[in-house]
Every structure is written in structure tokens, then in C-alpha cells.
Amino acid sequence: MIRKAQKQDSEKAAVLIYDAIQDIAHVLTGERHKKKVFEQLERYFCQEVNRLSFQNCLVKTIDDIPVGIIVAYQGKAAIKLDEPIRAYLRDLTGKEPTIDPEADAADYYIDTVSVNPEFRGRGFGTELLLDAIHYAEAQGHPTVSLNVEENNPKARKLYESLGFSYKKTVMINQHKYSYLVKQL
């Protein structure tokens, strides 16, 4: 079953998000040690306003245990959604943090898709993507976008099979990503 995420999903969600974004999670949390990264990801997830908030997530569950997650939001909301992250990092480091822009303002942006490795290959990631696309369409968004790391051809093939096409190359945390867009 796919359902809206809930705060009590935070522990599983943090692991799934980390699995998808890894080094970006270290940047967003300001932490080096994985345990600390997970703890801060859980805090972000439980916030009402945050790019990684449960409010922006759907989870795929088996026996009500999250085994997959998708994080998505309107691109134009990214600056507001990142403010709690910037504030946390400013407090932690005393410096103004840099968070690389990931989404065009006009797009409904799929930030993260992740499925627990034990459950991959069952179509759960595709289900999550389709639910996010249908939600975007129902809300009247003209486009859905996502980034795929250039060294991940398997994921890119999946996205292209769902109607996404290349728009541009973006840099996120010093890695090249293909920015793919689907017209709705």
C-alpha cells in the first residue's frame, strides 16, 4: 500500500532517504557520522516545513512498515522548504550554508525516490513515481521533474520509460545530474 507519510515513519524514512542521497545527506545535516546524519534526517522529517518533511512524502508499506519513500514538492517552494535546513546549518557552523538548487520553480519536483534493497525489483519505485505523477497532474502542475545521477543508467532508463526526457545538466554537491522533465 502507498500512503501519506506520518511522523512515526521517521526512523525508516531517514534510512531510505540516506540510501538515496548519501553525501547530500551529510551536507544537509552538517554531520560526518552516519548515526548523527540519521538522527538529523529524522528531525527534518518530523518538521512541518522542510524539503524532507513527512508532509512532502509518500511511503510504500508492507505490513504498515515503510519499505519505500518518495519526497516531492513544488519547485517554487524549495527556498522556503530549505530555510529550516539553512537555519540549522547556520546555528551548527556559524556560517551561511550553500544548498545547491535542484528544481526549476515551475516543476513539481521529485526530490528523492528510494526502496529498501530487500524490496527492490518488485516495481515499488515505479508505483511511488506513478503516484507522485498522478498527484501532480491532479493538482494541475504542467510538469514533473527529477534529477538522476549521470552514472545511474538503470534509473534513467526507468524514468525515460515513464515519459521523462532530458532538459539540462545540473551540479549537486559536485556531482553531475541529468535534469529530466515529464510534461503532464
Side-chain angles (χ1 to χ4, degrees):
M1 174 174 102
I2 294 178
R3 63 167 169 76
K4 286 288 288 172
Q6 303 164 352
K7 286 183 181 182
Q8 60 263 32
D9 298 325
S10 65
E11 188 176 339
K12 296 283 187 196
V15 173
L16 288 165
I17 291 168
Y18 181 85
D19 190 43
I21 68 172
Q22 296 187 11
D23 62 321
I24 297 169
H26 289 272
V27 171
L28 295 177
T29 62
E31 299 292 347
R32 291 187 179 153
H33 301 287
K34 209 185 239 190
K35 181 178 185 263
K36 295 276 193 185
V37 172
F38 288 156
E39 290 169 359
Q40 187 57 37
L41 288 175
E42 286 183 49
R43 286 191 283 275
Y44 287 158
F45 185 82
C46 290
Q47 292 177 335
E48 297 288 326
V49 177
N50 189 306
R51 81 157 67 180
L52 301 175
S53 168
F54 71 98
Q55 299 279 26
N56 301 321
C57 299
L58 297 173
V59 291
K60 170 68 178 178
T61 62
I62 303 241
D63 298 326
D64 206 37
I65 297 169
V67 298
I69 193 167
I70 192 161
V71 180
Y73 46 85
Q74 178 64 37
K76 68 182 175 187
I79 291 172
K80 177 183 174 188
L81 293 172
D82 284 346
E83 185 48 41
I85 295 171
R86 281 192 296 278
Y88 173 79
L89 293 172
R90 268 193 305 272
D91 288 346
L92 183 68
T93 66
K95 299 176 185 174
E96 187 60 37
T98 300
I99 298 175
D100 293 325
E102 296 182 20
D104 288 352
D107 297 336
Y108 184 73
Y109 178 63
I110 297 173
D111 181 296
T112 304
V113 181
S114 180
V115 175
N116 178 316
E118 294 177 33
F119 295 91
R120 289 185 185 151
R122 300 184 192 184
F124 296 162
T126 301
E127 284 181 55
L128 286 161
L129 286 161
L130 290 173
D131 269 25
I133 292 166
H134 290 134
Y135 174 81
E137 193 167 35
Q139 296 300 309
H141 296 288
T143 53
V144 177
S145 63
L146 50 76
N147 286 300
V148 60
E149 204 161 1
E150 293 210 340
N151 66 358
N152 193 348
K154 186 177 177 183
R156 183 170 179 156
K157 185 176 178 180
L158 168 64
Y159 303 145
E160 288 174 342
S161 77
L162 295 174
F164 287 86
S165 59
Y166 176 84
K167 181 177 179 181
K168 62 185 176 181
T169 298
V170 297
M171 294 294 287
I172 303 171
N173 199 35
Q174 301 174 2
H175 298 280
K176 281 187 180 181
Y177 286 80
S178 293
Y179 189 81
L180 306 181
V181 177
K182 177 180 175 67
Q183 301 294 322
L184 299 179

